[in-house]
């Protein structure tokens, strides 16, 4: 077998392992290690890489942003910010048809601006919004679906852990990616609200009763109550955009800020402090083990030249770049139904990115990289809410035992449709994603 | 035994969390110092404060030297310290959809094999990290700015790596027992949630 063949053969082996419930990071690590063995004939290379590579992967300054953002998200949860965000959104939207559900989406968008994880956003907002939705007579499945979809805004709206990983894998500027994710994130929130409005008209019996309309003075007061969220967001994301500090510094400032707010609001005591460490520890270790496995596997793949050969092959086919892009996005949609977003990105970007970067979309390489990153971010997030195994659906459903899963499945399809329409629009008009970038740089 | 292992994993996670918090504060102080330094160097401020601005600057108001290196060393320790908890609570990302259809017995066997291999990999990582430590020590590598020996950070990380390996071996033993006794001892997704 040539090394190229070994590289190609590693795909089915890796997928089989993953589907046999081998943890994804471990599977990539093993295939990388044994792949190097088969390609070089000895374990020396793999073992000597381990001497320094585990340490250097875990001690990366750019990746240190991840545990900091995760901790920031947990502090934000403890600080009661989800409560004030929901109240503010409700003050403005609550009186509309489906308004309480729209408020949940709006609050998710706000929370997403200080939290980089979908699951955390979905779980946090559910605690606040699910009881309210039930109180106003919203059907269980519609409520859970709304929150599952709203949760994906946690990752779409910067800061975003997945974008950090993408930026590092493709050597792109994190600040520029965050900036470009902003407009698609807002579009997602607006799209979900439209979806709710449509759903409320198709199924008026499931969309509850509207709240009473609030006077404007009261509305503005509710907005004033979210100043801590707004301040943290403006300082962190603004600081990163304007280059006042590095993304890691921004994450540290944000974590300290949300921590102080939680402390002042009385949400942070010894017990909750320790529990936020536990939650951060679990997710961080999970993410970094996948990062380590991916580093190993990708190191092996690079040695076998598979990414370059595949890229050359695809370019040689002479297909339309748009067709290749569509196929790649479809692969993500399918994979997203069974795999978590981070693993998917780490597994596929080293293979797909060289292909896309080599295609001619009539844009600069950087623009293509950023645009593609945002598109991938969105399609992997669709996976989080796609039945049967979307992670967000499970998280929310575990918080609302009264609602059967099938009800959530039915209602969430509306939101999936809204996601797919948005992806199509963003594919057809790259200028929407790149607008902010072209304006600022 | 489980209480001890669980306590060990949680203690490591708290330790890692505290280091992470310390890093966050360190980075914020450094950012603040840099901002003040820039401010004190700016025209209007020097005009108003005069010599006082210079005095302040002489006391060393500015970014913390080598904050970058401390973050790298600290975050590596924190992440290694986080792994045992992830291990004992079964927090690793998996794809469950295809194995859900298989029998409990088969699933126990898969889990056993996976966790034995996982334990092996964690031991391998710890051993190779130790090898790495020895070579850093031998070549007396130091960090660029602070000039502290790199092996110090390796040694700190090694603590987490060793605990992870110990916990990994414990989990593997539990899985073997589960398979042969045909009962669940430690449910995946966390025993104490």
């Amino acid at each position: 077998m040539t090394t190229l063949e070994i590289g190609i053969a590693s795909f089915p082996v890796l997928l089989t392992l993953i589907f046999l419930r081998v943890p994804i990071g471990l599977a990539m690590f093993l295939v990388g290690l044994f792949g190097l063995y088969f390609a070089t004939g000895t374990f020396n290379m793999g073992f000597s890489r381990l001497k320094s590579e585990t340490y250097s992967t875990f001690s990366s300054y750019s990746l240190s942003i991840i545990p900091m953002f995760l901790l920031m998200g947990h502090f934000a949860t403890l600080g009661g910010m989800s409560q004030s965000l929901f109240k503010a959104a409700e003050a403005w939207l609550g009186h509309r048809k489906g308004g309480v559900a729209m408020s949940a989406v709006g609050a998710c968008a706000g929370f997403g601006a200080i939290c980089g994880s979908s699951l955390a956003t979905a779980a946090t907002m559910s605690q606040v919004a699910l009881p309210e939705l039930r109180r106003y007579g919203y059907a269980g499945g519609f409520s859970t679906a709304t929150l599952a979809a709203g949760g994906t805004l946690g990752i779409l709206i910067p800061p975003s852990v997945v974008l950090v990983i993408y930026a590092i894998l493709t050597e792109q500027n994190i600040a520029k990616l965050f900036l470009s994710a902003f407009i698609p994130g807002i579009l997602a929130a607006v799209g979900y609200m439209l979806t709710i409005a449509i759903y409320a008209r198709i199924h008026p019996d499931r969309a509850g009763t509207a709240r009473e309309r609030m006077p404007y003075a009261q509305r503005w007061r509710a907005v004033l109550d979210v100043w801590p969220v707004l301040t943290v967001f403006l300082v962190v994301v603004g600081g990163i955009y304007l280059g006042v500090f590095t993304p890691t510094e921004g994450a540290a400032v944000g974590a300290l800020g949300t921590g102080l707010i939680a402390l002042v609001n009385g949400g942070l005591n010894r017990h909750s402090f320790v529990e936020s460490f536990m939650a951060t520890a679990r997710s961080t270790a999970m993410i970094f083990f996948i990062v380590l496995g991916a580093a190993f596997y990708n190191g092996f793949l690079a040695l076998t030249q598979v990414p370059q050969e595949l890229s050359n092959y695809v370019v040689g086919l002479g297909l339309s770049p748009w067709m290749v892009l569509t196929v790649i996005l479809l692969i993500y949609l399918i994979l997203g139904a069974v795999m978590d977003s981070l693993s998917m990105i780490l597994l596929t970007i080293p293979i797909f990115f060289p292909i896309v970067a080599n295609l001619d979309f009539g844009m600069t390489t950087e623009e293509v990289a950023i645009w593609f990153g945002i598109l991938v971010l969105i399609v992997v997030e669709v996976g989080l809410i796609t039945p049967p195994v979307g992670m967000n659906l499970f998280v929310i459903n575990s918080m609302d035992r009264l609602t059967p899963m099938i009800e959530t499945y039915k209602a969430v399809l509306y939101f999936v449709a809204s996601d797919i329409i948005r992806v199509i629009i963003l594919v057809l008009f790259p200028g929407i994603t790149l607008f902010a970038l072209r304006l600022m740089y | 035994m489980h209480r001890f292992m669980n306590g060990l994993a949680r203690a490591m996670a708290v330790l890692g969390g505290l280091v992470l918090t310390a890093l966050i504060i360190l980075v914020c102080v450094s950012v603040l110092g840099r901002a003040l330094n820039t401010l004190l160097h700016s025209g209007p401020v020097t005009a108003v404060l005069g010599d006082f601005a210079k005095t302040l600057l002489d006391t060393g108001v500015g970014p913390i030297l080598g904050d970058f290196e401390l973050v790298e060393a600290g975050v590596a320790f924190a992440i290694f310290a986080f792994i045992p908890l992830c291990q004992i609570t079964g927090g690793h990302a998996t794809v469950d959809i295809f194995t859900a259809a298989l029998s409990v017995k088969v699933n126990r066997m898969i889990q056993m094999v996976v966790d034995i291999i996982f334990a092996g990999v964690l031991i391998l990582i710890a051993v190779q990290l130790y090898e790495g430590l020895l070579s850093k020590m031998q070549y007396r590598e130091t960090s660029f700015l602070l000039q502290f020996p790199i092996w110090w950070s390796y040694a700190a990380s090694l603590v987490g790596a060793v605990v992870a390996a110990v916990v990994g071996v414990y989990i593997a033993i539990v899985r073997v027992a589960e398979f042969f006794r045909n009962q669940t001892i430690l449910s995946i997704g966390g025993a104490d949630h």
Side-chain angles (χ1 to χ4, degrees):
Chain A
M1 262 171 128
T2 64
T3 46
L4 185 66
E5 283 163 356
I6 296 171
I8 294 168
S10 72
F11 291 127
V13 174
L14 180 61
L15 282 180
T16 311
L17 285 178
I18 288 174
F19 290 159
L20 280 173
R21 225 180 61 216
V22 178
I24 296 168
L26 181 65
M28 286 198 264
F29 182 89
L30 289 173
V31 175
L33 193 66
F34 282 94
L36 278 178
Y37 170 76
F38 285 118
T40 61
T42 101
F43 275 116
N44 288 347
M45 192 170 174
F47 281 19
S48 69
R49 279 185 60 187
L50 262 183
K51 278 186 200 169
S52 57
E53 196 156 320
T54 327
Y55 179 81
S56 62
T57 306
F58 290 178
S59 70
S60 147
Y61 182 78
S62 350
L63 283 175
S64 68
I65 191 174
I66 290 173
M68 291 183 187
F69 269 146
L70 289 173
L71 193 61
M72 172 176 166
H74 290 294
F75 285 161
T77 305
L78 294 172
M81 294 173 205
S82 43
Q83 197 86 36
S84 54
L85 277 169
F86 185 65
K87 285 208 177 110
E90 222 184 4
W92 289 87
L93 298 164
H95 59 277
R96 292 174 182 278
K97 220 174 249 176
V100 184
M102 291 178 186
S103 314
V105 167
C108 280
F111 199 77
I114 49 168
C115 179
S117 137
S118 278
L119 294 181
T121 304
T124 306
M125 288 314 306
S126 297
Q127 284 166 0
V128 181
L130 275 182
E132 282 289 293
L133 286 163
R134 188 168 308 127
R135 193 144 67 92
Y136 285 94
Y138 283 77
F142 180 43
S143 309
T144 46
T146 301
L147 283 157
T152 64
L153 298 174
I155 270 198
L156 293 182
I157 294 180
S160 159
V161 170
V162 176
L163 268 190
V164 172
I165 298 277
Y166 178 85
I168 290 165
L169 281 176
T170 59
E171 294 170 351
Q172 294 299 316
N173 182 318
I174 295 179
K176 290 182 181 175
L177 273 161
F178 277 6
L179 182 70
S180 311
F182 198 66
I183 293 177
I186 298 291
L187 278 183
V190 172
Y192 290 155
M193 288 186 195
L194 282 176
T195 309
I196 291 167
I198 294 168
Y199 187 91
R201 277 163 182 80
I202 301 176
H203 304 285
D205 52 314
R206 293 192 203 155
T209 49
R211 290 186 57 129
E212 64 285 7
R213 187 181 281 271
M214 276 198 197
Y216 278 90
Q218 215 171 332
R219 291 187 189 187
W220 284 111
R221 210 168 309 132
V223 170
L224 279 184
D225 282 342
V226 298
W227 71 266
V229 180
L230 218 61
T231 314
V232 168
F233 172 73
L234 286 179
V235 170
V236 172
V237 176
I240 296 174
Y241 288 159
L242 298 175
V244 179
F245 36 62
T246 65
T248 300
E249 287 170 346
V253 170
L256 189 71
T258 45
L260 290 177
I261 292 166
L263 203 61
V264 170
N265 287 352
L268 203 57
N269 51 39
R270 230 185 85 186
H271 175 76
S272 61
F273 200 50
V274 167
E275 284 315 306
S276 39
F277 281 168
M278 294 301 143
T280 305
R282 265 172 64 101
S283 334
T284 304
M286 181 202 89
I287 292 172
F288 277 83
F289 210 85
I290 303 174
V291 171
L292 177 69
F296 239 73
Y297 181 63
N298 294 331
F300 153 70
L301 268 192
L303 184 98
T304 65
Q305 308 256 321
V306 165
Q308 298 93 307
E309 291 296 327
L310 192 65
S311 165
N312 293 341
Y313 172 75
V314 172
V315 171
L317 286 178
L319 299 169
S320 138
W322 302 92
M323 186 135 128
V324 177
L325 179 71
T326 309
V327 170
I328 289 177
L329 294 179
L330 282 176
I331 293 176
Y332 276 111
L333 273 181
I334 296 165
L335 265 186
V338 294
M339 208 182 272
D340 72 284
S341 37
L342 250 165
S343 310
M344 259 161 67
I345 296 255
L346 281 162
L347 186 65
T348 58
I349 288 298
I351 300 159
F352 288 158
F353 184 69
I355 297 180
V356 173
N358 263 344
L359 296 173
D360 182 16
F361 289 96
M363 291 181 262
T364 67
T365 320
E366 187 188 41
E367 283 180 340
V368 170
I370 286 173
W371 173 62
F372 180 63
I374 306 292
L375 289 176
V376 170
L377 180 71
I378 296 171
V379 285
V380 298
E381 287 308 291
V382 179
L384 279 176
I385 58 168
T386 309
V389 291
M391 275 301 290
N392 275 14
L393 302 174
F394 285 115
V395 170
I396 312 283
N397 235 73
S398 67
M399 301 177 76
D400 180 17
R401 303 250 177 229
L402 294 173
T403 304
M405 200 68 183
I406 187 78
E407 291 299 315
T408 311
Y409 284 173
K410 278 189 211 157
V412 87
L413 290 178
Y414 289 83
F415 293 99
V416 174
S418 138
D419 276 335
I420 290 174
I421 293 170
R422 186 170 75 257
V423 171
I424 294 173
I425 293 175
L426 293 177
V427 167
L428 292 179
F429 306 102
I432 300 175
T433 309
L434 298 170
F435 176 75
L437 183 78
R438 287 173 177 163
L439 199 71
M440 293 275 292
Y441 291 92
Chain B
M1 186 66 173
H2 184 67
R3 269 183 63 183
F4 172 73
M5 286 295 172
N6 205 33
L8 188 64
R10 283 178 68 95
M12 287 306 292
V14 169
L15 215 56
L18 288 174
V19 168
L20 182 64
T21 311
L23 292 180
I24 287 170
I25 294 171
L26 172 94
V27 170
C28 289
V29 170
S30 187
V31 168
L32 197 69
R34 191 177 60 208
L36 278 178
N37 185 291
T38 315
L39 195 71
L40 289 173
H41 273 116
S42 69
V45 176
T46 32
V48 174
L49 290 178
D51 282 346
F52 185 58
K54 196 178 172 317
T55 318
L56 272 179
L57 283 171
D58 288 342
T59 61
V61 172
I64 294 171
L65 179 75
D67 58 343
F68 191 91
E69 293 168 0
L70 290 172
V71 167
E72 291 194 332
V75 84
F77 167 77
I79 291 163
F80 273 110
F82 288 159
I83 292 178
L85 186 78
C86 191
Q87 212 62 31
I88 208 162
T89 56
H92 290 290
T94 53
V95 172
D96 302 341
I97 183 170
F98 298 103
T99 47
L102 303 172
S103 73
V104 177
K105 186 83 186 166
V106 174
N107 268 301
R108 284 220 174 96
M109 193 183 76
I110 292 176
Q111 197 63 46
M112 178 178 75
V113 174
V114 164
D115 281 327
I116 289 173
I117 296 174
F118 217 141
V121 165
L122 289 172
I123 293 172
L124 178 68
I125 286 176
V127 169
Q128 292 306 110
L129 187 69
Y130 178 67
E131 294 280 327
L133 184 155
L134 290 182
S135 76
K136 296 288 169 193
M137 214 185 222
Q138 196 185 346
Y139 294 107
R140 297 173 196 282
E141 263 184 63
T142 58
S143 73
F144 182 64
L145 287 171
L146 294 174
Q147 298 281 311
F148 66 82
I150 297 282
W151 73 264
W152 289 4
S153 0
Y154 269 69
S157 295
L158 190 61
V159 177
V162 168
V163 174
V166 169
V167 171
V169 169
Y170 162 71
I171 296 283
I173 293 170
V174 168
R175 297 296 176 219
V176 172
E178 280 183 341
F179 176 70
F180 286 105
R181 283 195 215 156
N182 217 0
Q183 68 180 73
T184 302
I185 300 168
L186 192 66
S187 61
I188 300 170
D192 57 350
H193 270 266

